[in-house]
Amino acid sequence: MLIGRIHLRLTDRSTTVRPRVKPALDTKHRLLEAANELIWTQSYGSVSVDDICAKADVRKGSFYHFFPSKSDLAVAAIEECWQQSREWLDKIFSTQNPPLERIEQYCAAVYEHQKEKAKKIGKVCGCPFASLGSEQSTLDEPIRQKGKEIFNRMDKYLETTLRDAAREDLIGKTDSAAAARDVLALVEGILLEAKVQNDLEIIKRLKPAVFRFLGISQHVK
Amino acid sequence: MLIGRIHLRLTDRSTTVRPRVKPALDTKHRLLEAANELIWTQSYGSVSVDDICAKADVRKGSFYHFFPSKSDLAVAAIEECWQQSREWLDKIFSTQNPPLERIEQYCAAVYEHQKEKAKKIGKVCGCPFASLGSEQSTLDEPIRQKGKEIFNRMDKYLETTLRDAAREDLIGKTDSAAAARDVLALVEGILLEAKVQNDLEIIKRLKPAVFRFLGISQHVK
């Protein structure tokens, strides 16, 4: 449906208004969005190229124009998802914010994202990176490598935060890199539990659990 | 191959000697073992009923005699895997052992199991319960429920251990149930990271990470 230069696309989920510019990029972007949505809320194995094409409203021929395989799409989709996450992660982990506030804000943002997703899907979906990484790491080396890359990038936010916190005597002296990896593991473990228990409330434990790990007892609820 | 009353079965992996008694139970057991092996080392979605039957050396008709679907088999297989795990978990978490030794032994046993599996498979496989739960929780309600059940059972070992540790003043006073859930999340998060990074060494962080979470600073390496 064309309204002036605006292309109004009616889908089964929502009505999106998209300017008709750079159609190839638009098609690629729709495939990435569809892949992220379907794989996150279901699983990699349960979603076919046909499902992704149907969701993205793209013909199968176009799919293979952009991606040689479902695995290649998944790798690009995780990267896209990470780039989108950076929009809020960069703000939260800005060194302009006091270190412990970064952690508090991060835990709160994770809860809000999961809540928003659960509201739409009716299930706690957990971490998209960890879910795909957990499912495919023994099977698909490029997906595993991308998952590893994302974990390592996430570690950098946490490592700087912990180093800053130690420098300001907000936590005890610590190996920031090692502690950051354990904090991320704790976050991922709690998100996994929330998914398996299908219980958003579990995610509220993020902040007290991370603070307890860091020895900030006054903040533990 | 029959040797006296012993049935020698040659597979692609190993030579197993099995007495030919209760063949129905034996068939069912082979299906459970094959499902656990394939789903743990690969994924639920990538393994078909045909794959499981081939691995178990069972005809498809027999499969459906025992299990209405792949999902039903997976639920029974997780239960079987838990019962097998109980053999070493009950020993380690015996209240005869001092509380912190239980945790130390648990972390060491998890490392040994993962090492043994990685040696056979060539990859770090992570936690079988968490991997399946993470993959299928938004898709398959009976599998999610069984995963939840296993997590809750595991919590009991940890909760009693932490309550005993607090009673003996080995750790500070704590809400044992809440702390046990966070310790399990930390363990699951580290196993997930080890799988995605495909690095066994990561699992050596289990003990220092759990001890740090519990505020046992003198044990932190």
Side-chain angles (χ1 to χ4, degrees):
Chain A
M1 196 188 297
L2 275 171
I3 304 171
R5 293 183 62 201
I6 299 298
H7 184 219
L8 187 63
R9 205 164 60 82
L10 301 170
T11 72
D12 57 338
R13 300 250 167 185
S14 63
T15 304
T16 55
V17 178
R18 182 180 298 114
R20 293 203 87 186
V21 286
K22 296 182 184 170
L25 269 181
D26 187 59
T27 302
K28 190 176 181 185
H29 185 74
R30 288 213 309 278
L31 286 167
L32 293 171
E33 290 283 322
N36 273 327
E37 173 69 19
L38 292 176
I39 295 170
W40 186 15
T41 57
Q42 299 178 34
S43 73
Y44 179 82
S46 69
V47 171
S48 66
V49 168
D50 284 339
D51 295 332
I52 296 167
C53 289
K55 174 90 181 164
D57 192 16
V58 165
R59 276 172 307 174
K60 211 163 172 176
S62 297
F63 177 99
Y64 289 109
H65 170 71
F66 291 106
F67 304 103
S69 69
K70 187 172 84 162
S71 167
D72 290 284
L73 169 63
V75 169
I78 310 173
E79 181 60 35
E80 171 69 17
C81 184
W82 170 258
Q83 293 304 333
Q84 287 177 11
S85 303
R86 273 195 57 179
E87 287 173 21
W88 57 274
L89 287 167
D90 278 348
K91 273 182 205 154
I92 287 174
F93 285 102
S94 164
T95 51
Q96 296 298 309
N97 301 330
L100 299 188
E101 273 182 30
R102 292 177 221 165
I103 295 175
E104 283 189 37
Q105 284 181 28
Y106 171 60
C107 295
V110 167
Y111 176 79
E112 286 306 321
H113 280 110
Q114 292 289 326
K115 189 176 154 191
E116 197 187 319
K117 199 77 189 168
K119 215 169 158 184
K120 273 201 257 177
I121 306 298
K123 301 260 183 188
V124 177
C125 293
C127 170
F129 308 116
S131 296
L132 180 55
S134 170
E135 182 187 341
Q136 287 296 311
S137 281
T138 58
L139 291 168
D140 189 310
E141 190 57 16
I143 290 180
R144 188 187 73 73
Q145 284 290 350
K146 180 54 78 175
K148 176 178 170 171
E149 216 177 297
I150 303 285
F151 272 36
N152 292 345
R153 291 179 195 168
M154 193 59 224
D155 278 337
K156 280 193 192 167
Y157 284 126
L158 293 166
E159 186 182 339
T160 310
T161 302
L162 299 187
R163 195 179 302 118
D164 291 349
R167 200 175 288 140
E168 295 179 28
D169 283 331
L170 300 167
I171 61 171
K173 292 280 165 265
T174 190
D175 175 342
S176 309
R181 287 193 293 268
D182 287 336
V183 166
L184 184 58
L186 186 53
V187 170
E188 293 296 358
I190 287 175
L191 283 174
L192 170 71
E193 193 197 334
K195 184 176 183 178
V196 172
Q197 303 269 5
N198 194 30
D199 182 358
L200 267 182
E201 288 303 294
I202 287 170
I203 304 173
K204 290 190 177 160
R205 285 182 10 226
L206 277 180
K207 184 193 139 187
V210 171
F211 273 38
R212 179 175 182 158
F213 180 83
L214 296 172
I216 311 171
S217 54
Q218 67 272 28
H219 289 265
V220 178
K221 282 175 194 164
Chain B
M1 195 187 296
L2 277 170
I3 305 170
R5 293 184 61 203
I6 299 297
H7 184 217
L8 187 64
R9 202 166 62 82
L10 300 169
T11 72
D12 57 339
R13 301 252 166 183
S14 63
T15 304
T16 54
V17 177
R18 183 181 295 114
R20 294 204 85 187
V21 286
K22 297 183 185 169
L25 269 181
D26 186 59
T27 302
K28 190 177 180 184
H29 185 75
R30 288 213 309 279
L31 285 167
L32 293 171
E33 290 283 323
N36 274 326
E37 172 69 18
L38 292 176
I39 295 171
W40 186 14
T41 57
Q42 299 176 34
S43 74
Y44 180 83
S46 69
V47 171
S48 66
V49 168
D50 284 339
D51 295 333
I52 296 166
C53 289
K55 174 89 181 166
D57 193 16
V58 166
R59 275 172 309 171
K60 211 164 173 175
S62 298
F63 177 97
Y64 290 109
H65 170 72
F66 292 107
F67 304 103
S69 69
K70 187 173 85 165
S71 167
D72 290 284
L73 169 63
V75 168
I78 309 173
E79 181 60 36
E80 171 70 17
C81 183
W82 171 258
Q83 294 303 333
Q84 288 179 10
S85 304
R86 273 195 57 180
E87 288 173 22
W88 56 274
L89 287 167
D90 278 349
K91 274 184 203 153
I92 287 174
F93 285 101
S94 165
T95 51
Q96 296 298 308
N97 302 330
L100 299 188
E101 273 183 29
R102 293 176 221 164
I103 293 174
E104 284 190 37
Q105 283 181 30
Y106 171 59
C107 295
V110 168
Y111 176 79
E112 286 305 321
H113 280 110
Q114 291 289 327
K115 188 176 154 190
E116 198 187 318
K117 199 76 189 170
K119 214 170 158 182
K120 271 201 256 175
I121 307 298
K123 301 260 183 189
V124 177
C125 293
C127 171
F129 308 116
S131 296
L132 180 55
S134 170
E135 182 187 343
Q136 287 296 310
S137 280
T138 58
L139 290 167
D140 189 310
E141 190 57 17
I143 290 180
R144 188 186 74 73
Q145 285 289 349
K146 180 54 79 176
K148 177 178 169 170
E149 216 176 298
I150 303 285
F151 272 36
N152 293 345
R153 291 179 195 167
M154 193 59 223
D155 278 337
K156 280 192 191 168
Y157 284 126
L158 293 166
E159 186 182 340
T160 310
T161 302
L162 299 187
R163 196 179 301 118
D164 291 350
R167 200 176 287 139
E168 295 179 28
D169 284 332
L170 300 167
I171 60 171
K173 291 280 166 264
T174 189
D175 175 343
S176 308
R181 287 193 294 269
D182 287 337
V183 165
L184 184 58
L186 186 54
V187 170
E188 294 296 358
I190 286 175
L191 284 174
L192 170 71
E193 192 196 332
K195 184 176 184 179
V196 173
Q197 304 268 5
N198 194 30
D199 182 359
L200 268 181
E201 288 303 294
I202 287 170
I203 305 173
K204 291 191 176 159
R205 284 180 10 225
L206 277 179
K207 184 194 140 186
V210 171
F211 273 38
R212 179 175 182 159
F213 180 83
L214 296 171
I216 311 170
S217 55
Q218 68 271 29
H219 287 265
V220 177
K221 280 172 193 164

